[in-house]
Amino acid sequence: MRYSEMFLPTSRETPSDAEVISHRLMLRAGMIRKLTSGIYSYLPLGYRVIKKVEQIIREEMDRAGAQEVFLPAVQPAELWIESGRWQFYGKELLRLKDRHNREYCIGPTHEEVITDLVRNEIQTYRQLPINLYQIQTKFRDEIRPRFGIMRSREFGMKDAYSFDADDSGAELSYKKMFEAYNRIFSRCGLSFRPVEADSGSIGGSFSHEFLVTADSGEDGMVYCTSCDYAANLEKAEIARPEERHIDESEFLPLEEIYTPDVRTIEEVSAFLNVTTQDIVKTLIFSADDSPIAVLIRGDEEINEIKLKNYLGCDSLELATDDIVHEVTGAPKGFAGGIGIKSEIIADYSLINMRNFVMGANKQDYHIKNCNIGRDFKIKDFADLRIVEVTDLCPRCKSPIEFARGIEVGHVFKLGTKYSKAMKATFLDKDGKEKYMVMGCYGIGVGRTMAACIEQNNDEDGIIWPFSIAPYHVLITPVNIKNKELLSMAEKLYDNLEGRGIEVLLDDRDERAGVKFKDADLIGIPLRITMGPKKLAEGKVEVRFRKSGEVREILFDDVEDFVVQVVKREQ
Ligand code: ATP
Ligand code: MG
């Protein structure tokens, strides 16, 4: 491509409304433009990268045995009513009506459509397993679109769906996708980690997010410094502490203390002159409308996702003041385990606590020296709190570390959630009707491109890895008024293109400084600079964008040199 003819509007200005580096650089490098909130156009340079990422995805999905389809973006409400999601998906789902007043949505994901397709076509176990994927535009009316195409409302996604006859088949399909994802993100030049993720009420540990490590990432992760355990912050497990033998002689007598208007953990700690670790917090939740008391050590925080999974409920929220009053007989701030009118579960942090402070279920009173067993019963101990950096790896007990990441992909074992709701059945070997076991697997195409820029940039601009660079080589004749120079540059351009190299020729009538600035900004991995002085010696300069290394190479050799480098780095 000739730069002079390319629609490539670069800019020196830093866009004021772009918070992260990838967004700023994509705007400055003329890759994307905003149409309206969360909706972007891809310009030629940006779209070339998108197509590269898509190509890598296609190759690896095909290699893993998945087949490409293309499903409709507009989906009828009936399917979503069948799956139960028309009601639950909420405001992220863009709903619309046609001229006959029928309801539709623009697909934020395609489980319903694919399940409908497959249930109509697949009848027996002989047709299974099957894995279908597509690369398509999704729409999610995100509450806070931001970071450019990283969290937009309209975005490109690769989504795949596997259908198996049984659980072990589904696990194999999952494993194949897991491996394909590792290859895809490695080939895109990313440094990433697959982390265990929450699989919601569906259960099981069969969900992994692929997080690209970046400080600007919205997701937190925990990883072990010794084994390969890694998990999303929400999911990160805490091992059950070893239980100390209970020696009842340690138990001190209960003591009710007048604590007027002392409610928060900090207030109680200051008032009673005890540490927050000596206090137990009692939180009352409404889980599917029934109250439950949850106990946790005063200095720890509840992880509501863990709690929700433990309870297996659909909705979970902190109870209203009225419910707290009903259950404890006191206003908020004085709840405790003794005499409470609901079931109690306690976080592992309480396992070895003795003689702790709790609310007395009585206005303006707390109780000292409470002990589980002697003073009140609980239903269970469970892992309910948010992990901290001082916790140890739940697998091997080594220290853990925290990092931030950008979720670029998600693999998920769905089980029979959709096949049951939508009656996607098949006849098994023994002639019995069974539900297909499903998996779903997504990759954000634009987000992958953005994540790559987050990891590969410097103060001058983007540094593309060869695999997804919009072009491999940029040829920069420093002065196009020099006809001989230009014609040699054009010759090199033709020859390289002829050998399958993707070349951008900067044939603009601009100063060399301007050309170099743009070259660094758009980040093409190799730049061949052609100037009259060096050419008089028969040489050109090849500069590697990533390392900054410059090599002088004979003009006659440069073609082979470039071909070699590109073949090696691809
Ligand atoms: P997030 O937690 O970031 O909202 P998600 O869990 O909703 O993501 P999935 O439903 O698993 O995402 O979608 C699959 C992939 O699609 C994600 O891993 C991500 O790469 C991409 N994706 C999701 N939402 C967006 C968005 N608003 N903009 C761009 N890409 C997105
Ligand atoms: Mg989302």
Side-chain angles (χ1 to χ4, degrees), residues 10-12 25 28-30 460-464 516-524 545:
T10 58
S11 136
R12 300 270 174 275
L25 287 174
R28 286 190 50 212
D460 297 319
I462 303 169
I463 305 173
W464 289 114
F516 293 158
K517 273 230 154 10
D518 279 333
D520 282 345
L521 176 61
I522 65 177
I524 312 294
R545 174 69 180 89

Side-chain angles (χ1 to χ4, degrees), residues 303-554:
N303 177 335
E304 288 194 22
I305 292 174
K306 284 185 180 175
L307 179 60
K308 194 168 172 211
N309 288 342
Y310 173 83
L311 296 171
C313 56
D314 286 327
S315 81
L316 179 78
E317 51 195 24
L318 274 173
T320 58
D321 291 358
D322 285 350
I323 292 178
V324 172
H325 208 282
E326 233 169 76
V327 176
T328 67
K332 229 183 193 151
F334 303 99
I338 304 175
I340 201 162
K341 289 196 222 100
S342 73
E343 262 185 351
I344 302 174
I345 48 170
D347 178 65
Y348 286 161
S349 53
L350 267 70
I351 285 185
N352 292 317
M353 278 180 82
R354 310 280 187 262
N355 303 317
F356 47 83
V357 175
M358 279 186 121
N361 292 326
K362 181 168 153 191
Q363 181 158 8
D364 292 337
Y365 282 91
H366 279 80
I367 304 185
K368 261 176 135 172
N369 302 329
C370 303
N371 285 287
I372 295 174
R374 181 189 69 178
D375 306 320
F376 62 99
K377 302 248 171 325
I378 63 165
K379 189 173 161 234
D380 201 1
F381 286 112
D383 172 14
L384 301 173
R385 71 174 168 89
I386 294 173
V387 70
E388 287 175 78
V389 79
T390 46
D391 286 314
L392 297 177
C393 170
R395 301 276 182 276
C396 76
K397 307 280 188 299
S398 301
I400 52 166
E401 285 199 29
F402 281 23
R404 300 206 66 77
I406 301 165
E407 179 199 322
V408 287
H410 198 169
V411 291
F412 212 116
K413 188 177 161 219
L414 288 170
T416 53
K417 179 180 157 102
Y418 293 92
S419 48
K420 264 193 187 142
M422 298 180 66
K423 303 191 180 54
T425 59
F426 66 99
L427 288 181
D428 205 356
K429 281 195 188 83
D430 46 17
K432 278 209 189 100
E433 197 175 12
K434 290 200 173 137
Y435 292 113
M436 297 179 203
V437 187
M438 292 173 59
C440 72
Y441 318 93
I443 292 181
V445 180
R447 197 184 276 184
T448 301
M449 166 165 97
C452 183
I453 298 177
E454 287 292 324
Q455 279 189 342
N456 300 284
N457 67 76
D458 62 15
E459 60 280 7
D460 297 319
I462 303 169
I463 305 173
W464 289 114
F466 277 87
S467 60
I468 63 169
Y471 294 93
H472 302 130
V473 192
L474 174 69
I475 303 177
T476 309
V478 295
N479 175 9
I480 62 149
K481 293 204 178 79
N482 181 334
K483 292 293 169 237
E484 199 197 331
L485 190 71
L486 182 61
S487 93
M488 285 179 82
E490 282 170 338
K491 187 175 149 220
L492 179 60
Y493 168 70
D494 285 339
N495 290 351
L496 283 171
E497 287 231 306
R499 295 180 69 177
I501 304 297
E502 297 166 27
V503 195
L504 183 61
L505 171 66
D506 194 348
D507 59 344
R508 293 175 301 166
D509 188 6
E510 290 281 3
R511 282 181 296 111
V514 171
K515 292 186 175 189
F516 293 158
K517 273 230 154 10
D518 279 333
D520 282 345
L521 176 61
I522 65 177
I524 312 294
L526 286 180
R527 186 181 83 205
I528 305 174
T529 310
M530 299 177 65
K533 263 199 224 136
K534 284 271 160 345
L535 265 184
E537 302 165 25
K539 289 180 184 160
V540 296
E541 262 181 21
V542 178
R543 183 170 182 273
F544 290 76
R545 174 69 180 89
K546 186 167 182 176
S547 62
E549 185 198 352
V550 179
R551 292 241 207 136
E552 282 188 8
I553 296 192
L554 288 174

Side-chain angles (χ1 to χ4, degrees), residues 92 140 142 151 447:
E92 255 188 38
R140 295 181 182 180
E142 296 274 352
R151 180 168 300 284
R447 197 184 276 184

Side-chain angles (χ1 to χ4, degrees), residues 284-293 319 323 326-327 341-343:
I284 318 288
F285 284 90
S286 289
D288 290 343
D289 296 330
S290 34
I292 175 105
I323 292 178
E326 233 169 76
V327 176
K341 289 196 222 100
S342 73
E343 262 185 351

